[in-house]
Amino acid sequence: MATLQNQVEPQKTRGIATLLRGRAKKPGILPGFGLSLGFTVTYLSLIVLIPLSAVFLKAATLNWAQFWSIIAAPRVVASYKLTYGVSFAGAAIDAIFGFIIAWVLARYDFPGKRIADALVDLPFALPTAVAGIALTSLYAPNGWLGRYLEPIGIHAVFTPLGIIIALTFIGLPFVVRSVQPVIEDLGGDVEEAAASLGANGWQTFTRIIFPAVFPALLTGFTLAFARALGEYGSVVFISGNMPMRTEITSLLIVSKLEQFDIPGATAIASVMLVSSFTLLLVINGLQARMRRTGEKV
Amino acid sequence: MSAATSKGKVRAGDAPLVKWTLIIVALAFMLVALVLPLASVFVEAFAKGWQVYLASIRDPDALSAIRLTLLASGIALTMNLLFGLAAAWAISRFSFRGKNLLISLIDLPLAVSPVVAGLIFVLLFGLHGWFGPWLDDHSVRILFAVPGIVLATIFVTFPFVARELIPFMQAQGTEEEEAALVLGASPWRMFFSITLPNIRWSLLYGVILCSARAMGEFGAVSVVSGHIRGETNTLPLHVEILYNEYNFAAAFAVASLLSLVAVVTLAVKKIIEDKTGIRGEKA
C-alpha cells in the first residue's frame, strides 16, 4: 500500500478517477480493471451517491431557522425520543435472547437444531409488511397471544410495547449472527485451563467467555439498534401511528410526504441520515477492533 | 459442533440442567418471536377457506401486483448482479487507492432507512425535484410509476450480491485465472470457464438474499409508488391495501405467497451453507 501511495503524486488535486487509480496486485495479466472499476464507480454514483446527496442539498436550501423549526418541533422531537427508546429496548431484548440462542446453537446438540438455525434468519427473509400484519394479528385483543395478554392489562397493539415487539423481531438475527461464530471459535483450551485452576462453570463464563464474546455482542446490538431506527414496514401496522404517542420518525417522514411537505420530510430525513451514518462509523470501528483483537489471539 | 462436544469434558454450561434450561429458553423465545408470526400468516390466510384464498390470489389486482413484483425484482437483481460481479472483480483482483472507502460506500444503502431511500427519488424525480420539470415536459413518468419502483428496489438491494462476492473472491487465489490467460484463453473465456464456476455458490447465495429483499421491500417502494391499484402496486403494497380495507383473509392470502418465498429462501440458504461452508456476512 505504501509503495502504491508513492506512485500517485500527492500534490495533485484528486478527482475520484485519480483517487481510485491503481494497478493489478502483481504485475498482473488479469484483464478488466478499467471496465470493472469504471462500471462500479459509475453505478455507485448514479444509484447511491448522487441520489443521497440530494437529501443534503435539498435540506441546505432551507435557512437555519426554518430547518431548526422543522427538526425541533414538539411532534418531531417526540418521534425521536420514541424511536430511540423503542429501538434501544428492542435491541436490548435481542441482545439478551440473541445471546442465548447463539450460545445454544453454537454449543449444544438437540433435535431440530438445523431448523432452528435456519429459522433465525426469518426476519431477514420475511417482508417487513408481512411481519407487521402477522404481529398485529397475534397481539390483537382476539389474537393468539393478545387474548391472554389483554385480560392481565398488557396492551401491545397501538402502544409503544407493540413497536418494541416488532423491532425485536426485526433485529434478532443481527445479534445471533454476530455472536454465534465467535462462540463457535472459542478455544476449548482456555476453558480447560480455567477449570483446572479451580474455576467453576459460572466463573469461567463470566471471566473468560463473556469478555471474549462481548465485542461481538455489542456489534450485534448496535446493528439491531441501527436497523430499528429506520424500520418502517413492520411497525406501521402495530403502532397505530398516533402523533406524540406512537409515531416513529420514519412514519413522520411518510406523513409529511403525503401532505406534500417535501422540505419538512427532507429536513427530518437529513437528521436520520446523519444519525445512521454516525452509527455506521461506530459499527465499522467496533468491527475493526474485533478483527484486531481476533488477530492477536 | 460434534468436534466441539468431543473436545473438552469441562466446558462451561455443559451441565445437563444448565444446557436444557438454556435450550428451552432459546426455543421458547424463537417459538413466540418467530414461529408464531409465520404460522399465523398461513392460518389467517386459510381462515375463510380455500375458495376465498384462491379468489384473493386470482384477483386481477393481485395478479398485476405479482407481475410488477417479479418485474421490479428481476430488473433489480440483474443490475445488482452485474454490479456485484464488477465490484468484486475490481476489488478482489487489483489494488488501488480508496479501496476501503469504496467497500464502505457499497454498504451505505444498508444504513439508510427504507423511507429515506424512497424520499431521495422523490427529491430527484418529483414535480419539484431536480429532474421533475424536465421529465414532466417530456411526459416521462418515473415517480408514481414502474421506473420509480424499480429504482427504489435497486437502491435497497444494492449491496446484497457485492457484499457476498467481495470477501469470497478476496479469499481466492488468482492462479487458475492467470493460467487460463497464459494458455491463451480470452478474458471472457477465462471469466466464464474459470471465475464464474468458482464463485457459483457464493453468487447464488447473494442472488437469493437480493431477490428475497427485492420482492419484500415495502417502505421505499411505498413512498415512490403512488399506490395506483393494478398499476403501481407491488405485492407488499397490495397486502397493505387489503389489510387497511379490513379484508384480512385476502391480505394474509397474498402475504402467504411472500412468506412462502421467505421459507424457500431460508431453506436454500441453509442448503448452500451446509454444502459449502459459506456463511453470510452479517447483513
Side-chain angles (χ1 to χ4, degrees):
Chain A
M1 200 63 205
T3 50
L4 262 169
Q5 267 164 353
N6 295 337
Q7 283 164 0
V8 182
E9 292 126 312
Q11 308 94 326
K12 262 190 186 164
T13 21
R14 299 189 195 104
I16 191 109
T18 9
L19 202 69
L20 295 172
R21 179 174 299 159
R23 53 165 201 165
K25 267 178 185 163
K26 295 157 208 162
I29 51 167
L30 291 179
F33 178 69
L35 178 68
S36 60
L37 189 63
F39 179 69
T40 301
V41 172
T42 311
Y43 187 72
L44 176 72
S45 308
L46 286 178
I47 299 287
V48 178
L49 300 182
I50 295 173
L52 267 181
S53 67
V55 173
F56 295 106
L57 291 171
K58 179 80 185 176
T61 61
L62 299 163
N63 67 43
W64 181 246
Q66 289 170 316
F67 184 74
W68 184 253
S69 75
I70 295 168
I71 65 164
R75 182 175 163 190
V76 183
V77 172
S79 86
Y80 301 144
K81 283 184 187 156
L82 175 72
T83 307
Y84 272 83
V86 290
S87 300
F88 190 89
I93 298 171
D94 284 332
I96 296 166
F97 287 97
F99 185 89
I100 297 175
I101 292 170
W103 177 270
V104 163
L105 289 176
R107 301 192 46 131
Y108 304 142
D109 277 320
F110 55 92
K113 175 173 164 168
R114 293 185 62 226
I115 294 175
D117 189 37
L119 201 64
V120 166
D121 286 324
L122 180 72
F124 287 157
L126 194 71
T128 53
V130 175
I133 64 169
L135 290 170
T136 312
S137 83
L138 274 183
Y139 289 93
N142 58 353
W144 291 354
L145 295 171
R147 74 178 61 154
Y148 303 109
L149 296 175
E150 293 282 330
I152 54 171
I154 299 174
H155 307 286
V157 171
F158 303 155
T159 67
L161 176 64
I163 308 177
I164 294 174
I165 290 171
L167 296 178
T168 304
F169 175 85
I170 290 300
L172 187 65
F174 291 98
V175 175
V176 179
R177 295 308 184 213
S178 300
V179 172
Q180 190 180 354
V182 179
I183 299 181
E184 278 167 0
D185 289 347
L186 283 175
D189 44 346
V190 202
E191 275 183 63
E192 276 182 47
S196 65
L197 292 172
N200 63 31
W202 179 247
Q203 283 171 326
T204 309
F205 177 77
T206 51
R207 306 256 177 95
I208 309 285
I209 299 176
F210 192 75
V213 179
F214 185 72
L217 185 63
L218 194 61
T219 306
F221 170 84
T222 317
L223 285 168
F225 180 67
R227 170 70 203 265
L229 287 182
E231 179 54 25
Y232 175 71
S234 62
V235 173
V236 279
F237 298 98
I238 205 166
S239 77
N241 313 330
M242 288 168 281
M244 309 299 291
R245 283 202 56 229
T246 60
E247 188 177 53
I248 55 167
T249 307
S250 50
L251 214 117
L252 192 60
I253 294 177
V254 171
S255 65
K256 295 252 177 212
L257 274 175
E258 278 167 358
Q259 296 154 18
F260 302 102
D261 179 6
I262 292 181
T266 311
I268 301 170
S270 68
V271 174
M272 277 187 86
L273 276 180
V274 169
S275 73
S276 47
F277 289 165
T278 312
L279 268 177
L280 192 68
L281 287 177
V282 172
I283 293 166
N284 279 344
L286 280 173
Q287 284 174 336
R289 249 184 102 153
M290 274 174 64
R291 266 195 298 278
R292 275 202 304 277
T293 47
E295 278 158 16
K296 257 185 260 166
V297 172
Chain B
M1 49 190 161
S2 52
T5 359
S6 61
K7 205 188 287 170
K9 311 169 225 168
V10 279
R11 298 191 322 166
D14 273 354
L17 181 68
V18 179
K19 174 182 166 179
W20 287 104
T21 310
L22 288 175
I23 290 176
I24 287 167
V25 169
L27 292 183
F29 186 81
M30 288 181 72
L31 176 74
V32 172
L34 304 175
V35 178
L36 282 186
L38 183 63
S40 78
V41 172
F42 292 100
V43 172
E44 300 270 353
F46 291 106
K48 292 195 175 156
W50 273 100
Q51 273 80 14
V52 176
Y53 182 87
L54 285 177
S56 315
I57 286 169
R58 285 199 194 129
D59 178 80
D61 288 342
L63 291 176
S64 96
I66 293 174
R67 271 194 298 274
L68 179 57
T69 297
L70 291 178
L71 175 74
S73 44
I75 297 176
L77 180 62
T78 312
M79 296 297 293
N80 289 338
L81 183 66
L82 291 176
F83 164 73
L85 284 169
W89 181 256
I91 288 171
S92 68
R93 294 298 184 257
F94 304 93
S95 40
F96 51 89
R97 301 199 61 190
K99 189 195 268 191
N100 287 332
L101 176 70
L102 182 63
I103 295 174
S104 305
L105 288 176
I106 289 173
D107 277 347
L108 208 53
L110 292 177
V112 175
S113 165
V115 169
V116 178
L119 171 75
I120 60 181
F121 293 104
V122 174
L123 293 178
L124 290 180
F125 303 114
L127 213 47
H128 302 286
W130 287 358
F131 307 111
W134 185 89
L135 291 170
D136 198 43
D137 289 345
H138 296 73
S139 34
V140 180
R141 295 194 55 191
I142 291 187
L143 201 61
F144 307 138
V146 175
I149 293 171
V150 172
L151 278 172
T153 310
I154 290 178
F155 182 94
V156 292
T157 57
F158 183 85
F160 280 67
V161 180
R163 73 200 314 271
E164 295 306 327
L165 281 182
I166 291 170
F168 187 80
M169 286 177 67
Q170 276 178 325
Q172 275 182 337
T174 57
E175 292 79 9
E176 289 182 51
E177 280 148 354
E178 280 163 4
L181 291 171
V182 170
L183 293 173
S186 74
W188 288 114
R189 176 94 198 270
M190 171 214 70
F191 178 76
F192 284 107
S193 6
I194 307 287
T195 311
L196 212 49
N198 279 342
I199 61 171
R200 63 185 189 279
W201 290 111
S202 170
L203 190 68
L204 182 63
Y205 197 84
V207 163
I208 287 165
L209 298 186
C210 183
S211 36
R213 178 68 197 269
M215 282 190 248
E217 179 48 31
F218 178 69
V221 170
S222 157
V223 169
V224 298
S225 109
H227 304 273
I228 308 163
R229 261 190 126 128
E231 274 183 52
T232 62
N233 259 345
T234 61
L235 274 177
L237 297 178
H238 192 58
V239 169
E240 183 198 21
I241 289 190
L242 292 169
Y243 188 86
N244 287 340
E245 287 170 347
Y246 302 103
N247 194 349
F248 295 132
F252 279 102
V254 177
S256 74
L257 293 180
L258 288 165
S259 306
L260 214 57
V261 173
V263 172
V264 172
T265 302
L266 291 182
V268 176
K269 185 170 170 291
K270 182 73 181 158
I271 291 169
I272 298 177
E273 285 169 358
D274 287 353
K275 198 180 167 78
T276 64
I278 293 175
R279 262 273 177 218
E281 288 280 291
K282 293 147 276 177

